[in-house]
Amino acid sequence: MEEIELYLEEAQELMQKAVDHTASELLKIRAGKAMPNLVDGIMVPYYGAPTPINQVSSVTTPDARTLAIKPFERTLIGEIEKAIINSDLGLAPQNNGEIIILTIPTLTEERRVSLVKQAKHECENGKISVRNVRKDTNDSLKKLQKEGTAEDLVKGAETQVQKYTDQYIVKIEALLEKKEAEIMKV
């Protein structure tokens, strides 16, 4: 019985991680709005070590279409600019000597549809992860049954795993709905 509880707890933790990962992947999809986390993945050489932009500068959003990046050290402006140009953001930085400004272009209808497809793909990957956790947990429960655990306890645990699966898939679908609305809002 105790082993079953451990498997159920582990399944819940792993499913939650799948939801969290999906949410973080969705954050990376630009919705035509300037958000400081847009530059999170970009690294800048800082004293010889690659360092995230948000650790060597302050990233703010003066308005909905603009990102302002103010380095803590002026000497980093050129490096930050290069890193942004070389990234996959597709944005052209403007530099006034103290601050780098990124203007986020408005999205075309075609681009919005493509971003929604990308969001759906990320959510599908999240659902697959949740289902894989269900499969692995059920396999472990079946092993327990072969080792002598009562069949009704295993069946009850499998039912519980299915409930968790349904719950977490609903959470992922809610994330998709929210992201889709955000992308399609003009």
Side-chain angles (χ1 to χ4, degrees):
M1 191 62 199
E2 204 174 287
E3 276 184 275
I4 290 176
E5 290 301 318
L6 286 174
Y7 283 130
L8 291 177
E9 280 177 32
E10 183 184 22
Q12 257 189 310
E13 281 175 32
L14 292 172
M15 287 179 185
Q16 185 57 50
K17 281 182 183 174
V19 170
D20 294 344
H21 178 74
T22 302
S24 72
E25 289 300 311
L26 288 177
L27 275 178
K28 294 176 187 172
I29 298 175
R30 265 194 310 145
K33 210 165 61 175
M35 297 193 300
N37 64 5
L38 198 61
V39 294
D40 278 359
I42 300 175
M43 303 298 244
V44 178
Y46 183 61
Y47 291 107
T51 311
I53 281 186
N54 57 1
Q55 289 183 15
V56 295
S57 61
S58 66
V59 181
T60 57
T61 52
D63 62 59
R65 298 250 172 255
T66 312
L67 264 183
I69 302 169
K70 184 173 172 54
F72 300 137
E73 296 177 26
R74 269 196 184 161
T75 55
L76 285 173
I77 281 193
E79 294 292 342
I80 291 174
E81 222 176 350
K82 260 192 258 176
I84 291 169
I85 291 170
N86 295 335
S87 74
D88 61 354
L89 283 181
L91 299 175
Q94 297 164 343
N95 165 4
N96 70 5
E98 288 183 25
I99 295 176
I100 294 172
I101 295 174
L102 295 174
T103 305
I104 313 296
T106 55
L107 297 173
T108 62
E109 187 64 28
E110 186 179 308
R111 182 72 179 129
R112 287 178 195 280
V113 170
S114 134
L115 288 175
V116 167
K117 279 184 187 171
Q118 188 181 345
K120 285 181 179 177
H121 177 72
E122 289 302 335
C123 287
E124 192 53 45
N125 286 343
K127 289 178 186 180
I128 289 169
S129 296
V130 169
R131 290 184 197 117
N132 285 339
V133 170
R134 174 187 63 193
K135 181 186 174 300
D136 294 344
T137 304
N138 283 343
D139 289 348
S140 299
L141 291 170
K142 281 183 176 52
K143 267 188 201 157
L144 279 181
Q145 188 178 342
K146 285 180 184 171
E147 293 168 7
T149 306
E151 186 178 341
D152 58 334
L153 291 177
V154 172
K155 291 293 179 202
E158 286 176 350
T159 305
Q160 190 59 45
V161 170
Q162 185 58 49
K163 282 182 188 169
Y164 293 156
T165 303
D166 296 342
Q167 286 172 358
Y168 287 99
I169 284 181
V170 165
K171 286 182 183 182
I172 290 173
E173 287 170 351
L175 289 172
L176 175 62
E177 245 177 71
K178 185 178 167 196
K179 189 65 177 185
E180 200 170 338
E182 184 183 313
I183 291 170
M184 295 312 277
K185 187 173 81 180
V186 180

